[in-house]
Amino acid sequence: MNDLHTLDDGTLDRSRASSDAAPQLNPRMVRRAIVASVLGSGLEWFDFLVYGYFSKIIAQVFFPSDHAFVSIALTLATFAIGFVVRPIGGILLGIYSDRVGRRRALSVLILAMAASTLLMGLTPSYATIGVAAPLLIVLARLLQGMSVGGQFATASAMLVEYAPPGKKMFYGSFNMSSQAFALLLSSGVGLLLTTQLTHAQLVAWGWRVPFLMGALAGPIGFYIRHRVAESPEFVQLSAHRGAPVKQSVRAFFRDNTDAVICAMGVIIVGAATNYVWHSYLPLYVERQLHLPLSNALVGAFVSGVLNVMLFPLAGKLCDRYGAYRLFYPVVIAWVLVSYPLFSFVVAAPTFAHLFTAQMISTVFLAAMSGSHPGMLATLFPVRNRSTGVALSYNVAVTLFGGLAPLTITSLTQWTGSSLMPAFYLIFAGLVSLAMVFFTKSGRDPAPAARAGSATTH
């Protein structure tokens, strides 16, 4: 029985494969697949985080208003728009990935994300071209939202499908590490710009620099992804089924409703925590704590450094002890800690208190989210893995992540409470616990084993 072999150009020799062959890939190809899978996630998060860091300046440039709250609200609403279309883009690109392969889907995604990031950085200000400026920013966010809708799912599928048995959570964790690296890079660039440039320079051109830098990653990412072999498990599936098989929406939900609900529950608390402590925090630090933006960026930078290492560690622990066995106690602890943590900062808003809280949240975020790509990918069989992960991930992130800055800002304005982020995180944690617990997938201590046996369905 012939195995799959890697050709000199990095592709798989399908002509020598049988339907149930085990692909033989050299270590170089595995490393290349990891880099190709995580590069787009890094670009996605770099852009999102930069938008959050400079939201106050972007509000001045594109959404000028006599009322500061209205200007900020419009900026955050534009941020949220990109998430509203993510489920649509995720489903479409997930279907595309499940039909033609992870490799081709990832190549399309990196170019689309680079184009939207470039548009964000090059759009003239409202003072220059009037209402066309905010419309172009909205267009850029829509394009980005559609493209990144499939990014997490396709990259997670690629990583998990390259992983050897017993290491799927660890391999999947590299998708999260790429987000941590983006946090490190974006906060470092933001800190450099805010400390070295005057406010006038930041408004005039400084805020554009990170977006233009992010756009440069597009061609590099496309080149790397183009030279990666297709996922071994997807190749095996293709050999079994021949031509791509179309699956109706009704059939998908009939077979995967429990997995979708469980996957959304897994993601919600991590998404809320990530966006509150990273995307929303810079605005919170300036408007509620009345501290300089640089205070938040220092902690974000250190958080990025730590999470690059902590996410893989969390993945390894989940491979060893079971992802769901660790999920419940970590989320419960985070629900109990969230309110005291924000109270600690609000009671005496200093850099030391803020930094301490950021480090504690970093450890919890890593413990909760390091295994997310592996947990979600192993809930679905290969034949609709990208679709399932994209749908559950994007709906959860849209409702509890992308809308978090706008929701919390509005609730804070309405209630006058500086502790609204803590209440938001507690609510998200309780929703996650309930959704995972009341599904069969969440109560089964070994869902990955089931998914692994179903990879060729």
Side-chain angles (χ1 to χ4, degrees):
M1 185 176 295
N2 293 329
D3 290 337
L4 294 179
H5 292 268
T6 306
L7 300 177
D8 291 339
D9 64 354
T11 60
L12 292 174
D13 185 358
R14 297 170 185 262
S15 64
R16 302 176 61 183
S18 67
S19 62
D20 55 355
Q24 300 295 318
L25 296 173
N26 60 48
R28 184 185 66 176
M29 181 54 60
V30 174
R31 290 193 296 269
R32 189 182 294 173
I34 292 174
V35 172
S37 299
V38 304
L39 190 61
S41 297
L43 174 60
E44 167 195 351
W45 269 95
F46 180 85
D47 189 16
F48 280 160
L49 291 168
V50 165
Y51 191 100
Y53 295 155
F54 293 102
S55 58
K56 190 175 180 180
I57 293 175
I58 292 173
Q60 294 178 244
V61 176
F62 295 107
F63 304 96
S65 173
D66 294 333
H67 300 284
F69 171 73
V70 173
S71 182
I72 287 294
L74 288 173
T75 305
L76 296 180
T78 303
F79 179 78
I81 284 173
F83 287 85
V84 173
V85 299
R86 278 180 69 156
I88 300 172
I91 293 172
L92 294 177
L93 290 164
I95 293 172
Y96 179 75
S97 172
D98 286 332
R99 286 179 60 79
V100 306
R102 320 308 186 202
R103 175 175 173 260
R104 288 170 63 180
L106 286 172
S107 296
V108 170
L109 286 166
I110 193 75
L111 291 180
M113 283 189 288
S116 62
T117 303
L118 183 63
L119 178 59
M120 188 82 70
L122 293 180
T123 298
S125 67
Y126 183 91
T128 303
I129 61 173
V131 71
L135 291 178
L136 286 173
I137 294 299
V138 171
L139 175 62
R141 289 293 299 160
L142 288 172
L143 175 61
Q144 186 187 58
M146 292 288 288
S147 60
V148 302
Q151 169 60 41
F152 180 90
T154 307
S156 296
M158 176 73 96
L159 288 166
V160 168
E161 289 168 9
Y162 261 94
K167 292 186 177 182
K168 293 187 179 297
M169 300 299 157
F170 175 64
Y171 271 57
S173 71
F174 287 110
N175 204 10
M176 301 305 299
S177 288
S178 72
Q179 297 180 6
F181 181 75
L183 171 63
L184 187 161
L185 185 61
S186 61
S187 59
V189 172
L191 183 62
L192 180 65
L193 291 173
T194 54
T195 55
Q196 299 301 313
L197 299 181
T198 65
H199 180 74
Q201 289 173 321
L202 283 173
V203 173
W205 57 270
W207 69 271
R208 298 179 185 272
V209 172
F211 291 100
L212 298 178
M213 289 174 55
L216 293 176
I220 299 172
F222 179 80
Y223 174 78
I224 295 174
R225 286 180 169 184
H226 188 67
R227 292 180 56 80
V228 172
E230 183 54 81
S231 148
E233 290 185 13
F234 186 84
V235 171
Q236 287 182 279
L237 174 64
S238 299
H240 273 282
R241 71 185 183 185
V245 178
K246 294 183 179 179
Q247 184 181 40
S248 67
V249 175
R250 178 182 297 179
F252 171 81
F253 281 105
R254 181 194 63 214
D255 298 335
N256 298 282
T257 297
D258 183 84
V260 168
I261 294 173
C262 180
M264 288 177 60
V266 167
I267 286 295
I268 282 172
V269 64
T273 302
N274 211 346
Y275 281 81
V276 166
W277 279 99
H278 294 148
S279 293
Y280 174 70
L281 187 67
L283 184 63
Y284 181 79
V285 165
E286 288 188 297
R287 289 178 60 86
Q288 299 299 321
L289 302 182
H290 305 293
L291 295 173
L293 175 61
S294 59
N295 283 13
L297 294 178
V298 170
F301 181 83
V302 178
S303 294
V305 174
L306 290 176
N307 273 337
V308 166
M309 299 175 287
L310 290 178
F311 281 136
L313 176 60
K316 277 195 170 186
L317 290 174
C318 287
D319 278 325
R320 181 171 182 178
Y321 298 106
Y324 290 85
R325 290 193 180 99
L326 296 179
F327 172 82
Y328 293 104
V330 171
V331 175
I332 291 172
W334 181 233
V335 167
L336 296 175
V337 165
S338 293
Y339 183 85
L341 201 59
F342 269 94
S343 297
F344 171 72
V345 177
V346 171
T350 64
F351 169 73
H353 281 203
L354 176 64
F355 184 82
T356 300
Q358 285 177 288
M359 295 305 100
I360 294 173
S361 70
T362 294
V363 174
F364 272 99
L365 179 62
M368 289 187 293
S369 302
S371 60
H372 278 175
M375 291 174 75
L376 266 63
T378 53
L379 282 169
F380 301 93
V382 174
R383 62 187 172 88
N384 50 34
R385 178 168 286 161
S386 287
T387 305
V389 175
L391 173 65
S392 51
Y393 174 78
N394 285 298
V395 171
V397 170
T398 296
L399 295 178
F400 287 86
L403 296 177
L406 180 61
T407 301
I408 297 173
T409 299
S410 300
L411 289 175
T412 301
Q413 178 76 11
W414 180 49
T415 63
S417 173
S418 296
L419 294 173
M420 194 54 61
F423 296 122
Y424 186 84
L425 291 176
I426 292 170
F427 175 71
L430 294 176
V431 171
S432 276
L433 289 168
M435 291 181 71
V436 176
F437 180 77
F438 289 109
T439 58
K440 180 182 178 182
S441 301
R443 293 194 303 272
D444 188 335
R450 284 200 330 276
S453 66
T455 53
T456 57
H457 288 183

PDB file of all heavy atoms in Angstrom, residues 51-73:
ATOM      1  N   TYR A  51      -6.297  48.917  15.629  1.00  0.00           N
ATOM      2  CA  TYR A  51      -7.526  49.718  15.538  1.00  0.00           C
ATOM      3  C   TYR A  51      -8.018  50.106  16.941  1.00  0.00           C
ATOM      4  O   TYR A  51      -8.431  51.234  17.187  1.00  0.00           O
ATOM      5  CB  TYR A  51      -8.609  48.938  14.796  1.00  0.00           C
ATOM      6  CG  TYR A  51      -9.823  49.768  14.413  1.00  0.00           C
ATOM      7  CD1 TYR A  51      -9.963  50.260  13.121  1.00  0.00           C
ATOM      8  CD2 TYR A  51     -10.829  50.047  15.328  1.00  0.00           C
ATOM      9  CE1 TYR A  51     -11.069  51.019  12.755  1.00  0.00           C
ATOM     10  CE2 TYR A  51     -11.936  50.797  14.978  1.00  0.00           C
ATOM     11  CZ  TYR A  51     -12.054  51.283  13.687  1.00  0.00           C
ATOM     12  OH  TYR A  51     -13.146  52.037  13.344  1.00  0.00           O
ATOM     13  N   GLY A  52      -7.967  49.135  17.876  1.00  0.00           N
ATOM     14  CA  GLY A  52      -8.384  49.441  19.240  1.00  0.00           C
ATOM     15  C   GLY A  52      -7.462  50.433  19.924  1.00  0.00           C
ATOM     16  O   GLY A  52      -7.921  51.354  20.606  1.00  0.00           O
ATOM     17  N   TYR A  53      -6.149  50.277  19.731  1.00  0.00           N
ATOM     18  CA  TYR A  53      -5.195  51.175  20.374  1.00  0.00           C
ATOM     19  C   TYR A  53      -5.370  52.621  19.913  1.00  0.00           C
ATOM     20  O   TYR A  53      -5.233  53.557  20.701  1.00  0.00           O
ATOM     21  CB  TYR A  53      -3.759  50.734  20.072  1.00  0.00           C
ATOM     22  CG  TYR A  53      -3.384  49.395  20.653  1.00  0.00           C
ATOM     23  CD1 TYR A  53      -2.376  48.624  20.085  1.00  0.00           C
ATOM     24  CD2 TYR A  53      -4.030  48.878  21.784  1.00  0.00           C
ATOM     25  CE1 TYR A  53      -2.020  47.389  20.612  1.00  0.00           C
ATOM     26  CE2 TYR A  53      -3.685  47.654  22.303  1.00  0.00           C
ATOM     27  CZ  TYR A  53      -2.688  46.920  21.712  1.00  0.00           C
ATOM     28  OH  TYR A  53      -2.340  45.699  22.239  1.00  0.00           O
ATOM     29  N   PHE A  54      -5.644  52.785  18.622  1.00  0.00           N
ATOM     30  CA  PHE A  54      -5.734  54.131  18.063  1.00  0.00           C
ATOM     31  C   PHE A  54      -7.170  54.560  17.781  1.00  0.00           C
ATOM     32  O   PHE A  54      -7.410  55.455  16.968  1.00  0.00           O
ATOM     33  CB  PHE A  54      -4.903  54.219  16.777  1.00  0.00           C
ATOM     34  CG  PHE A  54      -3.426  54.087  17.014  1.00  0.00           C
ATOM     35  CD1 PHE A  54      -2.768  52.890  16.747  1.00  0.00           C
ATOM     36  CD2 PHE A  54      -2.686  55.146  17.525  1.00  0.00           C
ATOM     37  CE1 PHE A  54      -1.410  52.754  16.960  1.00  0.00           C
ATOM     38  CE2 PHE A  54      -1.323  55.015  17.749  1.00  0.00           C
ATOM     39  CZ  PHE A  54      -0.687  53.820  17.468  1.00  0.00           C
ATOM     40  N   SER A  55      -8.140  53.922  18.454  1.00  0.00           N
ATOM     41  CA  SER A  55      -9.550  54.233  18.205  1.00  0.00           C
ATOM     42  C   SER A  55      -9.883  55.691  18.512  1.00  0.00           C
ATOM     43  O   SER A  55     -10.693  56.316  17.816  1.00  0.00           O
ATOM     44  CB  SER A  55     -10.447  53.299  19.032  1.00  0.00           C
ATOM     45  OG  SER A  55     -10.167  53.424  20.411  1.00  0.00           O
ATOM     46  N   LYS A  56      -9.247  56.245  19.536  1.00  0.00           N
ATOM     47  CA  LYS A  56      -9.513  57.645  19.884  1.00  0.00           C
ATOM     48  C   LYS A  56      -9.038  58.582  18.774  1.00  0.00           C
ATOM     49  O   LYS A  56      -9.707  59.557  18.424  1.00  0.00           O
ATOM     50  CB  LYS A  56      -8.826  57.986  21.209  1.00  0.00           C
ATOM     51  CG  LYS A  56      -9.223  59.330  21.793  1.00  0.00           C
ATOM     52  CD  LYS A  56      -8.589  59.520  23.165  1.00  0.00           C
ATOM     53  CE  LYS A  56      -8.973  60.875  23.756  1.00  0.00           C
ATOM     54  NZ  LYS A  56      -8.367  61.066  25.098  1.00  0.00           N
ATOM     55  N   ILE A  57      -7.889  58.276  18.171  1.00  0.00           N
ATOM     56  CA  ILE A  57      -7.349  59.090  17.076  1.00  0.00           C
ATOM     57  C   ILE A  57      -8.140  58.858  15.795  1.00  0.00           C
ATOM     58  O   ILE A  57      -8.447  59.805  15.054  1.00  0.00           O
ATOM     59  CB  ILE A  57      -5.864  58.777  16.864  1.00  0.00           C
ATOM     60  CG1 ILE A  57      -5.063  59.247  18.078  1.00  0.00           C
ATOM     61  CG2 ILE A  57      -5.342  59.440  15.594  1.00  0.00           C
ATOM     62  CD1 ILE A  57      -3.605  58.877  18.032  1.00  0.00           C
ATOM     63  N   ILE A  58      -8.491  57.598  15.527  1.00  0.00           N
ATOM     64  CA  ILE A  58      -9.299  57.293  14.346  1.00  0.00           C
ATOM     65  C   ILE A  58     -10.632  58.014  14.411  1.00  0.00           C
ATOM     66  O   ILE A  58     -11.160  58.467  13.387  1.00  0.00           O
ATOM     67  CB  ILE A  58      -9.486  55.766  14.221  1.00  0.00           C
ATOM     68  CG1 ILE A  58      -8.143  55.100  13.887  1.00  0.00           C
ATOM     69  CG2 ILE A  58     -10.525  55.420  13.151  1.00  0.00           C
ATOM     70  CD1 ILE A  58      -8.180  53.589  13.898  1.00  0.00           C
ATOM     71  N   ALA A  59     -11.177  58.147  15.607  1.00  0.00           N
ATOM     72  CA  ALA A  59     -12.430  58.889  15.778  1.00  0.00           C
ATOM     73  C   ALA A  59     -12.268  60.340  15.346  1.00  0.00           C
ATOM     74  O   ALA A  59     -13.156  60.922  14.704  1.00  0.00           O
ATOM     75  CB  ALA A  59     -12.880  58.817  17.234  1.00  0.00           C
ATOM     76  N   GLN A  60     -11.142  60.944  15.689  1.00  0.00           N
ATOM     77  CA  GLN A  60     -10.888  62.328  15.289  1.00  0.00           C
ATOM     78  C   GLN A  60     -10.717  62.458  13.774  1.00  0.00           C
ATOM     79  O   GLN A  60     -11.186  63.425  13.173  1.00  0.00           O
ATOM     80  CB  GLN A  60      -9.620  62.851  15.967  1.00  0.00           C
ATOM     81  CG  GLN A  60      -9.701  62.990  17.473  1.00  0.00           C
ATOM     82  CD  GLN A  60      -8.377  63.475  18.043  1.00  0.00           C
ATOM     83  OE1 GLN A  60      -7.709  62.784  18.804  1.00  0.00           O
ATOM     84  NE2 GLN A  60      -7.970  64.665  17.650  1.00  0.00           N
ATOM     85  N   VAL A  61     -10.050  61.485  13.163  1.00  0.00           N
ATOM     86  CA  VAL A  61      -9.706  61.571  11.747  1.00  0.00           C
ATOM     87  C   VAL A  61     -10.908  61.303  10.845  1.00  0.00           C
ATOM     88  O   VAL A  61     -11.117  62.000   9.850  1.00  0.00           O
ATOM     89  CB  VAL A  61      -8.569  60.595  11.410  1.00  0.00           C
ATOM     90  CG1 VAL A  61      -8.271  60.602   9.903  1.00  0.00           C
ATOM     91  CG2 VAL A  61      -7.311  60.950  12.197  1.00  0.00           C
ATOM     92  N   PHE A  62     -11.726  60.304  11.209  1.00  0.00           N
ATOM     93  CA  PHE A  62     -12.786  59.868  10.299  1.00  0.00           C
ATOM     94  C   PHE A  62     -14.203  60.130  10.810  1.00  0.00           C
ATOM     95  O   PHE A  62     -15.141  60.133  10.015  1.00  0.00           O
ATOM     96  CB  PHE A  62     -12.640  58.371  10.012  1.00  0.00           C
ATOM     97  CG  PHE A  62     -11.384  58.029   9.274  1.00  0.00           C
ATOM     98  CD1 PHE A  62     -10.335  57.396   9.919  1.00  0.00           C
ATOM     99  CD2 PHE A  62     -11.227  58.346   7.935  1.00  0.00           C
ATOM    100  CE1 PHE A  62      -9.168  57.079   9.249  1.00  0.00           C
ATOM    101  CE2 PHE A  62     -10.065  58.035   7.252  1.00  0.00           C
ATOM    102  CZ  PHE A  62      -9.034  57.406   7.909  1.00  0.00           C
ATOM    103  N   PHE A  63     -14.373  60.312  12.106  1.00  0.00           N
ATOM    104  CA  PHE A  63     -15.712  60.492  12.664  1.00  0.00           C
ATOM    105  C   PHE A  63     -15.754  61.715  13.577  1.00  0.00           C
ATOM    106  O   PHE A  63     -16.075  61.617  14.766  1.00  0.00           O
ATOM    107  CB  PHE A  63     -16.134  59.246  13.448  1.00  0.00           C
ATOM    108  CG  PHE A  63     -16.091  57.984  12.636  1.00  0.00           C
ATOM    109  CD1 PHE A  63     -14.977  57.149  12.677  1.00  0.00           C
ATOM    110  CD2 PHE A  63     -17.155  57.626  11.824  1.00  0.00           C
ATOM    111  CE1 PHE A  63     -14.921  55.989  11.924  1.00  0.00           C
ATOM    112  CE2 PHE A  63     -17.114  56.458  11.068  1.00  0.00           C
ATOM    113  CZ  PHE A  63     -15.994  55.641  11.118  1.00  0.00           C
ATOM    114  N   PRO A  64     -15.430  62.893  13.057  1.00  0.00           N
ATOM    115  CA  PRO A  64     -15.418  64.093  13.896  1.00  0.00           C
ATOM    116  C   PRO A  64     -16.826  64.444  14.378  1.00  0.00           C
ATOM    117  O   PRO A  64     -17.803  64.284  13.646  1.00  0.00           O
ATOM    118  CB  PRO A  64     -14.870  65.173  12.960  1.00  0.00           C
ATOM    119  CG  PRO A  64     -15.209  64.692  11.592  1.00  0.00           C
ATOM    120  CD  PRO A  64     -15.106  63.189  11.651  1.00  0.00           C
ATOM    121  N   SER A  65     -16.916  64.875  15.619  1.00  0.00           N
ATOM    122  CA  SER A  65     -18.215  65.243  16.202  1.00  0.00           C
ATOM    123  C   SER A  65     -17.976  66.205  17.347  1.00  0.00           C
ATOM    124  O   SER A  65     -16.911  66.229  17.971  1.00  0.00           O
ATOM    125  CB  SER A  65     -18.945  63.996  16.709  1.00  0.00           C
ATOM    126  OG  SER A  65     -20.114  64.346  17.425  1.00  0.00           O
ATOM    127  N   ASP A  66     -19.013  67.012  17.632  1.00  0.00           N
ATOM    128  CA  ASP A  66     -18.922  67.929  18.767  1.00  0.00           C
ATOM    129  C   ASP A  66     -18.991  67.179  20.094  1.00  0.00           C
ATOM    130  O   ASP A  66     -18.640  67.724  21.139  1.00  0.00           O
ATOM    131  CB  ASP A  66     -20.050  68.969  18.701  1.00  0.00           C
ATOM    132  CG  ASP A  66     -19.902  69.884  17.492  1.00  0.00           C
ATOM    133  OD1 ASP A  66     -18.756  70.065  17.033  1.00  0.00           O
ATOM    134  OD2 ASP A  66     -20.923  70.398  17.000  1.00  0.00           O
ATOM    135  N   HIS A  67     -19.486  65.954  20.073  1.00  0.00           N
ATOM    136  CA  HIS A  67     -19.620  65.153  21.290  1.00  0.00           C
ATOM    137  C   HIS A  67     -18.636  63.989  21.229  1.00  0.00           C
ATOM    138  O   HIS A  67     -18.692  63.166  20.294  1.00  0.00           O
ATOM    139  CB  HIS A  67     -21.050  64.628  21.436  1.00  0.00           C
ATOM    140  CG  HIS A  67     -22.081  65.715  21.520  1.00  0.00           C
ATOM    141  ND1 HIS A  67     -22.284  66.461  22.658  1.00  0.00           N
ATOM    142  CD2 HIS A  67     -22.930  66.192  20.578  1.00  0.00           C
ATOM    143  CE1 HIS A  67     -23.243  67.354  22.425  1.00  0.00           C
ATOM    144  NE2 HIS A  67     -23.652  67.216  21.170  1.00  0.00           N
ATOM    145  N   ALA A  68     -17.757  63.919  22.207  1.00  0.00           N
ATOM    146  CA  ALA A  68     -16.719  62.881  22.208  1.00  0.00           C
ATOM    147  C   ALA A  68     -17.319  61.481  22.212  1.00  0.00           C
ATOM    148  O   ALA A  68     -16.821  60.573  21.527  1.00  0.00           O
ATOM    149  CB  ALA A  68     -15.798  63.063  23.412  1.00  0.00           C
ATOM    150  N   PHE A  69     -18.411  61.285  22.971  1.00  0.00           N
ATOM    151  CA  PHE A  69     -19.021  59.957  23.056  1.00  0.00           C
ATOM    152  C   PHE A  69     -19.553  59.517  21.693  1.00  0.00           C
ATOM    153  O   PHE A  69     -19.404  58.353  21.295  1.00  0.00           O
ATOM    154  CB  PHE A  69     -20.165  59.948  24.079  1.00  0.00           C
ATOM    155  CG  PHE A  69     -20.973  58.669  24.063  1.00  0.00           C
ATOM    156  CD1 PHE A  69     -20.444  57.498  24.580  1.00  0.00           C
ATOM    157  CD2 PHE A  69     -22.245  58.641  23.509  1.00  0.00           C
ATOM    158  CE1 PHE A  69     -21.176  56.314  24.552  1.00  0.00           C
ATOM    159  CE2 PHE A  69     -22.979  57.469  23.487  1.00  0.00           C
ATOM    160  CZ  PHE A  69     -22.448  56.308  24.007  1.00  0.00           C
ATOM    161  N   VAL A  70     -20.178  60.437  20.964  1.00  0.00           N
ATOM    162  CA  VAL A  70     -20.719  60.105  19.644  1.00  0.00           C
ATOM    163  C   VAL A  70     -19.589  59.711  18.702  1.00  0.00           C
ATOM    164  O   VAL A  70     -19.687  58.729  17.947  1.00  0.00           O
ATOM    165  CB  VAL A  70     -21.513  61.294  19.064  1.00  0.00           C
ATOM    166  CG1 VAL A  70     -21.930  61.017  17.623  1.00  0.00           C
ATOM    167  CG2 VAL A  70     -22.729  61.578  19.926  1.00  0.00           C
ATOM    168  N   SER A  71     -18.498  60.438  18.727  1.00  0.00           N
ATOM    169  CA  SER A  71     -17.358  60.147  17.869  1.00  0.00           C
ATOM    170  C   SER A  71     -16.769  58.777  18.171  1.00  0.00           C
ATOM    171  O   SER A  71     -16.509  57.976  17.261  1.00  0.00           O
ATOM    172  CB  SER A  71     -16.292  61.235  18.049  1.00  0.00           C
ATOM    173  OG  SER A  71     -15.190  60.999  17.195  1.00  0.00           O
ATOM    174  N   ILE A  72     -16.578  58.486  19.462  1.00  0.00           N
ATOM    175  CA  ILE A  72     -16.037  57.184  19.862  1.00  0.00           C
ATOM    176  C   ILE A  72     -17.022  56.076  19.519  1.00  0.00           C
ATOM    177  O   ILE A  72     -16.635  55.000  19.045  1.00  0.00           O
ATOM    178  CB  ILE A  72     -15.720  57.179  21.376  1.00  0.00           C
ATOM    179  CG1 ILE A  72     -14.480  58.018  21.657  1.00  0.00           C
ATOM    180  CG2 ILE A  72     -15.515  55.755  21.875  1.00  0.00           C
ATOM    181  CD1 ILE A  72     -13.194  57.455  21.075  1.00  0.00           C
ATOM    182  N   ALA A  73     -18.312  56.309  19.751  1.00  0.00           N
ATOM    183  CA  ALA A  73     -19.324  55.285  19.475  1.00  0.00           C
ATOM    184  C   ALA A  73     -19.341  54.920  17.996  1.00  0.00           C
ATOM    185  O   ALA A  73     -19.461  53.743  17.634  1.00  0.00           O
ATOM    186  CB  ALA A  73     -20.702  55.768  19.921  1.00  0.00           C
TER     187      ALA A  73
END
